[in-house]
Amino acid sequence: MAFPLTVGAKTEGFESPRLLKVVDVDTFIAGRWRPEHCVLLADEVHERLLGAPWGALCGRPNPQWHAPWIERPALEPGFLPGDVIEIVPGRPNIRIAYRRGQRGNVLFATERCNSFCLMCSQPPRQLADDWRVNHNLQLVELIDDDLPNLAITGGEPTLLGDGLLRMVEACASRLPRTRLEILSNGRLFAAPSHLDRVADIGHPDIQWNIPLYADVASVHDYVVQSRGAFEQTCAGLVRLAEMKQAIEIRIVLHKASIPRLVETARFIFRNFTFARHIALMGLEPIGFTLANRDALWIDPADYQDELVEAVGFLVQQGMAVSFYNLPLCTLDRRLWPFSRQSISDWKNIYLPQCEGCSARTRCGGFFASISEQWVSRKVAPIATSIGG
Amino acid sequence: MADNRNVSASGVRAATPPVHVGTGAEIASSQVTSILIDAALYPLSVVQRTAHRFSATHAVRVDRADGKWAVWLNARDGSFNSAGLEDDFYTWLVDDALRERIAEETCGIRLALVTAALAGTRAART
Amino acid sequence: MGRFQPPSDFRPSAEYRLLPFRFRRFYASRVLLVNEIGEHAVLHSEQFQAFVRHEMDADDPAYPLLESRHFLSPGDAALPLDRMALQYRSRKRFLFEGPKLHIFVVTLRCRYCQVSRRPDTAAHRFDMSLEIAEQAIQHVLEAPSSHPTVEFQGGEPLLAFDTIRHIVERLDAAATQRGKTFRYVITSTLHDLDDECLEFMRRHGIVLSTSLDGPESLHNRNRPTPGQDSHAQTLAGLARARAVLGDGAVSALTTVTRRSLADPKPIIEEYRRQGFHSIFLRPLSPYGFASKQGDTLGYDTFEFLAFYRAALDYLIEINLAGYAMDEVYASLLLRSIWTPFSSGYVDLRSPAGAGFGTLLYNYDGGVYPSDEARMLAEMRDDSLRLGHVSDSYSDLMQSPVMQLIATGGVAESIPHCSDCAYLPYCGSDPVDSHARQGDVIGHRPSSAFCSRHMGMLDLLFEKLLCGDPDEMRVLRSWAAGRPSLADLELGG
């Protein structure tokens, strides 16, 4: 099921943008947030409770309410207790900034980037969006502290500089039990800088997810459309390791990265043995990917040999490897143990062809954005039942 | 099978090889192969290096005369030198000259590499 | 799309710098390149020619290979010294550990030697006293390694089990406080096991190493005993030890003698029969027991290499037929080739393992840099004795003998080694050079150690160049210590 990121709902009484924790009575009592930071789902709530200084009330229109008001979204499920919503006065849509109990919650750091990847799912814009730092700091206050995983994405988060450090600090103190994964190209770590202080913050569980698309600059720099990027990312990887940071290396599987995949695996093992994990990702048909289909699209059915060899090599050397975003029917069976269900719940669907597939509960499915020309010819239900 | 010129035939313990330069007793002439090498093309260090490879199986002597190196090889076990000995020697000589050139070209990087790897570490401090 | 640049915009520079490497020719037309950090590449002769002349085209498929494996650095780009240094440091990591293998020769007595087992003072002259053991223990604790291996040798060390017990208990008691985890090995014929010592071994996780030269006839001829039953006794001990300690607790090695050379198959079959999954084909050592019988037992390098080649081929065959067994030496050489790590084998590294990686404490208190140095002393050459256990650790480690070893212990600085393609995978053995050739530096062209290692590496690289997928799968499982994905059963 793909959950939408925004919902349409009328709002009234808001003077400025607000982030609010969605609560019902039980959620509010169980939580640690002041009413000023919450929007109460007010239908069927006793009058007495409505008098508290709520950030907003949500429900059927009631002229007696003094707090800012949000209409109950028409489309199910709308937003649920525990979620965090963002209201901008005048906008008809409410953004769901955090979904309780779902995979894939992020802190969006910036739209700026110092790369320009062919398959970028979030095409960069060069604008001053440092306001996002404070926005994210507020959001961190409203996130459940039992959230297992939270990502910082962008754009390129390290471009925030000190702002990134403040976000990491906030997560370290407010969400110490949440693994923080920062999606970064690592380029700004190539040389010593103020950013190195991130190692001193002492966040208990931070991981840097850093993409590497080849073992040579000519291919990697082409994929990220930036000369010098490969050497900077490699240097950044070494320095982050020296700063004792946990690192995951990511490779997006497409026409440019597949030809050298086996050599890339060898390169990673020889030079970045410290990597805690290697993530091989299927292509997400969104953003720049759509414009670069000819350069990028290769049917997964056509690269299983390279995949088995590269993964086989890494696994045999004792490195941890996972697949994301590749449905099981397109993967060689020997690779199934490494496939993870990873597409964020809000962008995850199954296709009509999946009807009757016995592996559905184990399979990550597809991106909601998918269209026919991005579907492998091998997608078909898996007939026999598979053990564990 | 790889050329194993630098593999000894018998692994027998050998005395320190007599690689003379300039002076020394004459080696019996009947089974000596002598090779003249243009000193302008090959430095002594390379000629010595190649000569050293043959020093297990042959007594070797390197002399200088008229702008040339004179390399004399004499099989230790008393057999006649093989017909291809001079060709063998040149094959190695050319490669050893290449080795020296590569080593010169890369020695600065090699030093920087080892320094970067080991200096400032505990091993370097003990 | 207009705003995206094509691949040709990112083509590497036509100019490049060479990174440090060495080379070796294979067959008529191939060249093996090995760089300073142990990565390798194979080129055709013409490609190699172009490469070293700085004439290799950026479109040559070998160009990205050489770039990725650190043989060239394109254009004016900064040299990737940081990640190369990381690989180099990994390969030389043992330098930071100091002596990691500590050998205790707890007694010279053995059942079959002149020195008998009678419990009288004369016999105990050849046992390590507790006082000497104590002093040795101090050195073990002072050495920096956090995961040292303590090996007990003899004679037959089980005959001095009380001493072993004392040492193990003392070391285990001090372990946590010193931040060390000990690994214990006893090298034994297995003829003198009893329940009490097996129980102690089980409790302390001690493993055993024994000699199994091959089938009964071969083993017994190599190791004569009064009852001509060494083989049977070893097997009986093996069963007994496995029953208490588990199957994996006993490892075996074979000493290859002239008699073994005829055919490796019976030896390998014997190991299979006895349920071993690992065999160590160790060539004859030139000292001690071996050298006295050198004429009948000795052999030259070519004969050994022919034997070894046949052994590897047969081992690969039985692996492919379904029985997993690796050859230890090949495995560690392959690990050296295929990973950025040192193999961990103390006898094949540069700087040498003698002294720097190993300390041996003899029953009489003499401290030696290796077992071979001790055997030399038994043959009246104690020039490689470091000192006595009563000397301080730093006096031992900085002794004149240690400095002497250092002069011959760095292969990178020794003629012939210094430009050998196999340098990163090989090592220096100054004790061997001293014993066989008269000085710690030695003479490589006539060195059996050198020719043997070059031969074994040539053999392995021939297989790598040939690239037979089945052979590669077996060899990779040896190096990695686990099977490959390709070996997994397909299907539900």
Side-chain angles (χ1 to χ4, degrees):
Chain A
M1 168 68 139
F3 294 106
L5 264 182
T6 63
V7 285
K10 279 207 291 249
T11 68
E12 243 178 48
F14 288 93
E15 278 159 11
S16 59
R18 294 293 317 275
L19 277 172
L20 292 170
K21 185 78 169 174
V22 178
V23 297
D24 55 20
V25 173
D26 292 332
T27 308
F28 179 74
I29 290 170
R32 55 182 169 90
W33 303 281
R34 305 221 308 271
E36 290 89 337
H37 297 139
C38 298
V39 48
L40 177 67
L41 298 171
D43 292 337
E44 282 105 54
V45 169
H46 196 278
E47 286 275 338
R48 254 186 302 132
L49 299 174
L50 298 179
W54 297 107
L57 292 171
C58 174
R60 287 182 292 272
N62 187 325
Q64 289 186 329
W65 291 350
H66 301 294
W69 168 78
I70 302 173
E71 175 192 27
R72 191 94 204 200
L75 223 54
E76 284 298 306
F79 41 78
L80 298 167
D83 293 353
V84 177
I85 57 174
E86 181 185 358
I87 298 102
V88 178
R91 277 217 205 128
N93 286 324
I94 291 176
R95 189 172 80 87
I96 300 163
Y98 165 76
R99 278 207 177 276
R100 169 176 284 185
Q102 302 290 313
R103 282 193 303 261
N105 282 295
V106 307
L107 300 177
F108 188 79
T110 175
E111 289 193 70
R112 284 169 289 150
C113 193
N114 51 2
S115 291
F116 206 68
C117 302
L118 295 175
M119 66 287 175
C120 184
S121 55
Q122 181 71 47
R125 293 202 294 166
Q126 301 304 322
L127 40 69
D129 57 358
D130 292 301
W131 58 266
R132 293 186 186 275
V133 176
N134 281 328
H135 178 92
N136 283 317
L137 293 178
Q138 283 176 46
L139 181 51
V140 167
E141 296 291 317
L142 300 175
I143 290 176
D144 305 314
D145 62 10
D146 61 353
L147 176 67
N149 292 279
L150 180 65
I152 298 182
T153 65
E156 174 50 48
T158 55
L159 290 173
L160 288 178
D162 199 55
L164 178 63
L165 298 179
R166 286 165 60 207
M167 282 168 61
V168 173
E169 255 161 3
C171 292
S173 66
R174 305 296 292 184
L175 303 172
R177 289 182 291 153
T178 304
R179 168 172 287 187
L180 187 63
E181 295 187 41
I182 306 180
L183 275 63
S184 166
N185 55 38
R187 293 173 64 182
L188 290 184
F189 282 106
S193 77
H194 187 59
L195 271 176
D196 296 350
R197 297 257 308 276
V198 73
D200 301 326
I201 291 170
H203 189 290
D205 190 358
I206 195 172
Q207 178 175 292
W208 298 85
N209 297 348
I210 297 182
L212 193 71
Y213 300 113
D215 59 327
V216 288
S218 52
V219 175
H220 178 95
D221 288 357
Y222 160 64
V223 172
V224 311
Q225 294 282 298
S226 178
R227 226 169 260 96
F230 176 75
E231 282 303 327
Q232 287 164 21
T233 292
C234 288
L237 282 166
V238 172
R239 290 194 71 251
L240 280 167
E242 284 168 352
M243 288 164 15
K244 312 246 186 296
Q245 298 297 296
I247 292 165
E248 170 183 287
I249 294 180
R250 296 192 154 192
I251 310 177
V252 180
L253 300 168
H254 51 54
K255 203 149 109 184
S257 63
I258 290 291
R260 298 198 65 82
L261 189 65
V262 174
E263 279 294 315
T264 305
R266 188 210 67 88
F267 181 80
I268 290 172
F269 171 65
R270 288 305 284 230
N271 295 285
F272 310 123
T273 328
F274 49 73
R276 168 199 270 176
H277 184 233
I278 300 173
L280 301 168
M281 337 257 310
L283 207 51
E284 184 177 356
I286 200 172
F288 283 164
T289 309
L290 301 171
N292 289 307
R293 188 177 184 280
D294 288 341
L296 295 172
W297 169 250
I298 170 174
D299 191 325
D302 295 327
Y303 60 69
Q304 292 305 303
D305 289 342
E306 286 90 334
L307 219 49
V308 169
E309 193 177 341
V311 172
F313 170 79
L314 290 168
V315 165
Q316 194 176 32
Q317 301 302 336
M319 300 197 84
V321 182
S322 300
F323 283 100
Y324 298 130
N325 315 341
L326 282 172
L328 287 175
C329 51
T330 61
L331 269 185
D332 186 295
R333 287 211 176 189
R334 288 168 291 184
L335 300 177
W336 284 9
F338 308 101
S339 171
R340 316 270 171 248
Q341 289 177 294
S342 56
I343 299 179
S344 311
D345 297 313
W346 52 268
K347 33 182 189 175
N348 166 262
I349 60 158
Y350 295 89
L351 295 177
Q353 305 70 319
C354 300
E355 203 57 45
C357 177
S358 60
R360 185 161 164 153
T361 50
R362 279 182 51 199
C363 178
F366 300 85
F367 286 102
S369 55
I370 202 150
S371 62
E372 205 47 48
Q373 57 177 344
W374 299 95
V375 177
S376 168
R377 65 180 186 272
K378 276 199 69 185
V379 172
I382 292 162
T384 53
S385 81
I386 303 102
Chain B
M1 183 67 185
D3 183 310
N4 51 9
R5 170 55 56 190
N6 47 357
V7 173
S8 71
S10 63
V12 166
R13 176 176 172 158
T16 313
V19 181
H20 303 285
V21 179
T23 58
E26 288 292 320
I27 298 176
S29 58
S30 60
Q31 29 185 32
V32 173
T33 301
S34 77
I35 305 169
L36 291 174
I37 300 162
D38 189 332
L41 294 180
Y42 296 95
L44 179 61
S45 56
V46 174
V47 174
Q48 284 176 322
R49 171 69 190 101
T50 308
H52 187 251
R53 292 185 189 278
F54 289 77
S55 60
T57 49
H58 295 74
V60 187
R61 171 174 154 179
V62 180
D63 269 333
R64 186 212 306 260
D66 293 331
K68 293 194 199 299
W69 305 114
V71 178
W72 303 39
L73 299 161
N74 186 16
R76 285 185 189 278
D77 61 5
S79 65
F80 280 102
N81 290 344
S82 71
L85 183 59
E86 183 167 345
D87 283 350
D88 269 356
F89 192 92
Y90 264 104
T91 302
W92 283 102
L93 184 72
V94 166
D95 269 353
D96 285 337
L98 178 59
R99 287 184 174 95
E100 178 147 309
R101 201 257 290 162
I102 291 169
E104 271 164 19
E105 207 176 304
T106 60
C107 73
I109 299 173
R110 188 161 167 256
L111 186 61
L113 168 64
V114 179
T115 307
L118 300 178
T121 60
R122 235 174 76 198
R125 281 195 293 273
T126 53
Chain C
M1 254 325 181
R3 55 195 166 146
F4 292 101
Q5 297 170 279
S8 53
D9 278 13
F10 299 93
R11 209 165 157 267
S13 147
E15 282 169 6
Y16 53 87
R17 276 184 286 188
L18 298 184
L19 296 174
F21 72 92
R22 302 170 178 84
F23 68 89
R24 182 163 172 76
R25 294 194 187 267
F26 267 75
Y27 315 120
S29 60
R30 299 288 239 284
V31 185
L32 168 70
L33 291 74
V34 182
N35 69 15
E36 197 73 42
I37 56 183
E39 294 183 282
H40 75 271
V42 180
L43 297 179
H44 288 279
S45 305
E46 311 80 51
Q47 280 176 319
F48 177 68
Q49 185 97 303
F51 169 58
V52 293
R53 286 181 175 168
H54 294 263
E55 290 168 358
M56 179 173 267
D57 202 60
D59 293 325
D60 191 317
Y63 190 111
L65 186 84
L66 294 171
E67 181 185 348
S68 161
R69 297 187 185 205
H70 301 117
F71 286 92
L72 64 81
S73 177
D76 299 324
L79 298 171
L81 283 181
D82 55 348
R83 60 181 183 267
M84 290 174 70
L86 212 54
Q87 284 202 43
Y88 196 88
R89 202 178 305 139
S90 292
R91 197 170 281 274
K92 303 290 185 187
R93 182 159 297 281
F94 55 81
L95 280 176
F96 312 144
E97 303 248 358
K100 193 173 152 120
L101 174 60
H102 299 266
I103 304 174
F104 284 74
V105 179
V106 289
T107 180
L108 276 199
R109 290 182 290 131
C110 84
R111 239 211 264 173
Y112 314 109
C113 306
Q114 278 182 329
V115 183
S116 79
R117 201 181 177 177
R118 290 170 313 171
D120 64 6
T121 51
H124 284 266
R125 251 192 314 132
F126 296 99
D127 287 0
M128 178 181 275
S129 70
L130 287 185
E131 197 187 319
I132 286 172
E134 253 327 300
Q135 290 174 309
I137 285 166
Q138 289 314 308
H139 294 318
V140 176
L141 294 174
E142 188 160 351
S145 174
S146 60
H147 285 76
T149 299
V150 174
E151 196 173 298
F152 297 101
Q153 286 183 13
E156 172 52 59
L158 292 180
L159 298 182
F161 197 78
D162 286 338
T163 314
I164 294 177
R165 188 203 316 269
H166 175 88
I167 294 168
V168 170
E169 283 173 347
R170 286 277 294 115
L171 287 175
D172 275 353
T176 336
Q177 188 208 19
R178 299 280 191 142
K180 294 189 192 302
T181 309
F182 289 101
R183 194 180 144 254
Y184 301 106
V185 186
I186 302 178
T187 53
S188 167
T189 56
L190 307 183
H191 299 179
D192 300 275
L193 290 168
D194 65 42
D195 291 335
E196 196 195 331
C197 64
L198 278 172
E199 179 51 31
F200 183 84
M201 284 188 235
R202 190 193 63 78
R203 260 188 295 121
H204 290 266
I206 301 175
V207 298
L208 288 160
S209 168
T210 193
S211 285
L212 181 62
D213 288 350
E216 186 163 24
S217 54
L218 177 62
H219 182 101
N220 286 343
R221 284 224 297 283
N222 279 350
R223 296 163 192 280
T225 62
Q228 279 308 303
D229 59 354
S230 176
H231 184 264
Q233 288 211 52
T234 296
L235 292 193
L238 177 65
R240 213 170 158 186
R242 279 174 168 168
V244 177
L245 306 176
D247 274 355
V250 186
S251 63
L253 51 89
T254 178
T255 301
V256 177
T257 63
R258 170 157 282 284
R259 292 187 191 108
S260 323
L261 289 181
D263 189 358
K265 288 186 192 161
I267 302 173
I268 293 168
E269 282 305 322
E270 179 66 16
Y271 271 67
R272 186 194 339 212
R273 223 176 356 256
Q274 303 311 327
F276 286 104
H277 292 280
S278 203
I279 182 169
F280 187 177
L281 297 171
R282 192 179 57 160
L284 195 63
S285 144
Y287 330 102
F289 137 81
S291 75
K292 277 180 274 205
Q293 305 169 62
D295 291 327
T296 42
L297 298 182
Y299 46 81
D300 69 23
T301 307
F302 284 140
E303 291 174 278
F304 173 76
L305 289 172
F307 164 86
Y308 190 74
R309 175 190 290 271
L312 281 196
D313 286 340
Y314 189 63
L315 277 167
I316 290 171
E317 206 182 295
I318 71 173
N319 271 268
L320 288 173
Y323 187 85
M325 192 192 291
D326 65 58
E327 200 283 314
V328 172
Y329 219 78
S331 304
L332 55 94
L333 289 174
L334 289 167
R335 248 196 305 284
S336 224
I337 295 168
W338 277 330
T339 78
F341 308 118
S342 78
S343 65
Y345 186 58
V346 84
D347 289 342
L348 190 71
R349 45 177 251 195
S350 174
F356 298 101
T358 309
L359 287 175
L360 181 145
Y361 314 101
N362 206 8
Y363 72 97
D364 64 1
V367 182
Y368 296 86
S370 73
D371 198 31
E372 286 70 28
R374 177 192 65 92
M375 288 199 252
L376 276 175
E378 277 181 21
M379 301 192 321
R380 307 256 182 272
D381 175 3
D382 67 353
S383 55
L384 294 182
R385 182 177 178 274
L386 293 175
H388 191 265
V389 281
S390 53
D391 297 338
S392 74
Y393 176 77
S394 66
D395 279 351
L396 289 170
M397 297 304 289
Q398 294 176 68
S399 60
V401 170
M402 201 63 123
Q403 293 176 43
L404 181 66
I405 287 172
T407 62
V410 180
E412 283 82 352
S413 66
I414 293 187
H416 217 79
C417 289
S418 61
D419 58 14
C420 178
Y422 294 141
L423 176 63
Y425 310 136
C426 197
S428 182
D429 190 344
V431 178
D432 180 276
S433 298
H434 171 93
R436 287 202 188 232
Q437 302 189 310
D439 68 79
V440 291
I441 292 174
H443 179 247
R444 291 299 183 269
S446 58
S447 158
F449 181 96
C450 175
S451 58
R452 187 167 70 242
H453 283 85
M454 292 201 75
M456 287 165 76
L457 283 159
D458 278 345
L459 174 53
L460 291 173
F461 271 103
E462 274 175 46
K463 293 192 182 299
L464 263 61
L465 260 69
C466 174
D468 177 86
D470 288 333
E471 278 197 348
M472 286 303 103
R473 196 156 69 236
V474 172
L475 294 179
R476 284 204 178 268
S477 72
W478 289 6
R482 49 165 79 85
S484 76
L485 212 57
D487 291 326
L488 294 184
E489 288 296 308
L490 292 183

